Amino acid sequence: MSEGGYVLKGTLHRVRRGKAIAFVSQPFVTQATVRRPAKVAKMLALAHHLQHAIERGIAHDRADVARRLGLTRARVTQLLDLLLLAPDLQAGVLALDAVGGNEPITERRLRGVASIHSWQKQRVELETLLR
């Protein structure tokens, strides 16, 4: 053990003291695995929210949504295209977690799955992407 009860397993940081440079050890801390909702889950939830706003008359159309949010109409269309996924796939996507910062699937790939017209083919494609 080094001074102060620290184990020299952590990161060493340079500390300038006068003209000499010393290396000071930091305590070794293991990080717990962080789980949070996946970005695609958040984007799909946002798409549902936007569609609901259009259906209730809060926003007139996609262009109105884009203006209010400061997005392009193309981006709003990309988000709303996620709603073309099969309902059971949407439920699965909403339940996805990013573990330790690793996203299970990108939104771009998910949009590719959503562009498939057959829900059965969507299921097969998404299953292969999530392996």
Side-chain angles (χ1 to χ4, degrees):
M1 284 207 161
S2 65
E3 294 180 30
Y6 290 114
V7 178
L8 291 175
K9 289 185 180 177
T11 307
L12 296 176
H13 296 281
R14 288 180 14 174
V15 178
R16 189 173 287 264
R17 292 190 180 127
K19 291 186 178 183
I21 296 177
F23 289 94
V24 179
S25 66
Q26 299 295 318
F28 183 71
V29 179
T30 59
Q31 299 212 352
T33 304
V34 177
R35 296 180 77 89
R36 60 172 176 72
K39 288 180 184 178
V40 291
K42 293 177 184 179
M43 294 296 108
L44 182 57
L46 176 61
H48 278 284
H49 181 74
L50 297 178
Q51 184 63 34
H52 185 68
I54 292 170
E55 289 171 355
R56 289 187 47 192
I58 297 170
H60 298 294
D61 54 10
R62 292 176 180 203
D64 187 30
V65 168
R67 271 192 303 279
R68 289 181 185 205
L69 295 179
L71 301 172
T72 64
R73 288 179 292 169
R75 181 64 181 138
V76 171
T77 298
Q78 286 177 341
L79 290 171
L80 292 177
D81 282 350
L82 295 175
L83 301 177
L84 298 174
L85 283 170
D88 58 317
L89 295 181
Q90 289 185 34
V93 168
L94 289 171
L96 287 176
D97 285 334
V99 181
N102 296 325
E103 295 291 332
I105 187 171
T106 63
E107 181 190 336
R108 186 177 199 167
R109 286 192 175 194
L110 189 61
R111 283 196 316 264
V113 173
S115 68
I116 299 171
H117 296 292
S118 167
W119 283 354
Q120 186 60 35
K121 290 179 182 177
Q122 285 181 359
R123 289 180 185 96
V124 171
E125 183 66 23
L126 188 59
E127 184 178 327
T128 58
L129 287 175
L130 291 177
R131 280 189 202 157

